[in-house]
Amino acid sequence: MIVLIVLGVIVLGLGGFVVWFLKIRDPLKGEDFYKFHAEQKWAWELTLSPEQEQAFMAGLEAYDDDRGCYPMREQGILRVHRPMMLISLFWMTEQFAAMGPGAVQDPAGAVQHLMDRAADGEIPGVLYYDDEWMGEDVEQIDGLDKYAFTDAMMSATHAQSVDHAFAGGYADEDSGFVAMGVLAKDPAHVSRMYDEASAMGGPQKPLDNRLDVIREVMKPVDPTLMDAYGRAEAEKSKYINTLVFCFERVVKRYHEARPEMQYAEPRDVLSVVMARMLEEGRSGCTWTRPPSREQHDLALAILSNRG
């Protein structure tokens, strides 16, 4: 009986993977696997015309062939491998557009120029990171390995008793950076878009056992529903600003602050450290676009009220 259940779960898993592969992950039949397709979807992409975006992506692809980079589309961040830096895609697309027709004619040269500017020194929208952020031959900080320390950092970006909307977040324990979305409230029309997308899925069936859960997760997803949800996510991105921290410099400030907070949990120390970095304008953190006073104050409140 146990064998039959295991086989059933495997079959369901394979079926779900096929559905994910064909209908969700790869709606363009292969094209969506390329990192640099133009889609005119996220807020930073809308800075460019369709022709400009295609050229911009061609320039990124040329740089990727040489040194490596990856667009984190939803966060509005370009991750560059050599030299290691995070660049705001809002900054890049605005600068690319400002170059005029020349950027479209020579996208590889235009993107290389922007990369050189970013590598010359940290400016707003550019953050350097280091994958050796823990220190040479260091495997633990305050008794925490890189996974536990990253978890503590993520905890520091989640507020307690602060009214705000969920705006996503991302942390990479291997590369050493964390991104924190900041949004005071979903605009009314965005909330309606999410509600309309959810309604397409119909009423939720009762989940009485584990097999019901597996069936629900693995069942084919209506592409129309996915498109509607994707449109809501893209529209919401217009109102989100993202704050990014470099682990290496957070760790340096952590060691400085630890003696005055001997009995605090690591995540509480991180909350204080990251809030200070933001409030005092210290190096090691930046925004993907210039923050409003409301966004700055909200981020500070979130970091200062760790949940």
Side-chain angles (χ1 to χ4, degrees):
M1 184 60 138
I2 294 176
V3 173
L4 290 175
I5 292 174
V6 171
L7 287 174
V9 170
I10 291 173
V11 170
L12 284 170
L14 289 174
F17 176 80
V18 171
V19 170
W20 172 83
F21 183 92
L22 295 177
K23 294 189 177 181
I24 301 175
R25 179 62 183 89
D26 191 26
L28 301 180
K29 303 303 179 187
E31 294 178 26
D32 200 41
F33 278 106
Y34 292 105
K35 293 187 289 185
F36 304 110
H37 66 282
E39 57 183 353
Q40 288 282 287
K41 177 180 179 181
W42 302 105
W44 56 269
E45 292 176 296
L46 301 179
T47 304
L48 304 173
S49 69
E51 180 187 23
Q52 287 174 323
E53 188 187 358
Q54 289 180 357
F56 177 67
M57 290 301 178
L60 290 184
E61 188 166 13
Y63 188 89
D64 181 56
D65 289 341
D66 182 34
R67 297 196 175 193
C69 63
Y70 186 84
M72 299 170 61
R73 294 172 180 265
E74 188 171 354
Q75 289 82 16
I77 298 167
L78 181 72
R79 177 177 169 185
V80 181
H81 302 314
R82 287 190 301 130
M84 288 188 289
M85 53 186 176
L86 305 173
I87 308 177
S88 163
L89 283 165
F90 290 94
W91 178 82
M92 288 201 78
T93 52
E94 287 168 3
Q95 296 300 314
F96 190 89
M99 291 179 183
V104 175
Q105 294 166 6
D106 180 18
V111 167
Q112 182 62 60
H113 173 71
L114 293 176
M115 294 292 189
D116 291 342
R117 284 182 59 187
D120 279 345
E122 282 186 335
I123 56 176
V126 176
L127 186 73
Y128 301 155
Y129 68 95
D130 190 338
D131 55 7
E132 295 292 337
W133 58 271
M134 296 187 78
E136 188 175 356
D137 298 325
V138 176
E139 296 185 358
Q140 289 191 341
I141 296 173
D142 224 358
L144 304 177
D145 63 16
K146 65 179 181 179
Y147 303 104
F149 196 88
T150 299
D151 183 65
M153 285 196 70
M154 285 297 290
S155 179
T157 66
H158 290 75
Q160 185 176 22
S161 303
V162 176
D163 186 21
H164 68 291
F166 175 74
Y170 177 86
D172 190 319
E173 67 277 353
D174 291 318
S175 297
F177 65 87
V178 60
M180 167 187 168
V182 179
L183 177 63
K185 183 179 180 181
D186 282 334
H189 73 286
V190 173
S191 296
R192 285 196 301 271
M193 291 176 73
Y194 279 112
D195 291 342
E196 290 166 2
S198 297
M200 291 180 183
Q204 175 67 56
K205 295 181 180 179
L207 304 176
D208 298 324
N209 53 57
R210 187 174 299 175
L211 196 54
D212 284 345
V213 174
I214 294 173
R215 288 196 183 103
E216 183 67 21
V217 171
M218 296 300 181
K219 73 179 182 181
V221 179
D222 183 353
T224 304
L225 186 155
M226 295 300 296
D227 288 342
Y229 185 77
R231 287 193 297 271
E233 290 281 279
E235 182 65 17
K236 183 174 182 175
S237 77
K238 297 177 182 178
Y239 305 94
I240 294 174
N241 205 343
T242 301
L243 181 60
V244 192
F245 285 88
C246 159
F247 277 22
E248 181 188 31
R249 279 168 282 182
V250 170
V251 167
K252 179 182 177 181
R253 304 295 182 188
Y254 181 90
H255 289 313
E256 292 172 356
R258 197 44 162 154
E260 63 186 80
M261 302 181 68
Q262 296 182 45
Y263 304 107
E265 293 185 25
R267 57 186 179 180
D268 293 323
V269 180
L270 286 166
S271 178
V272 170
V273 164
M274 295 166 75
R276 282 180 182 173
M277 289 174 69
L278 175 61
E279 186 173 26
E280 298 172 8
R282 297 184 180 184
S283 68
C285 63
T286 194
W287 295 84
T288 53
R289 42 184 161 173
S292 65
R293 171 51 60 181
E294 179 187 37
Q295 290 169 339
H296 180 277
D297 291 347
L298 177 58
L300 190 58
I302 292 171
L303 290 168
S304 301
N305 292 270
R306 198 244 352 122

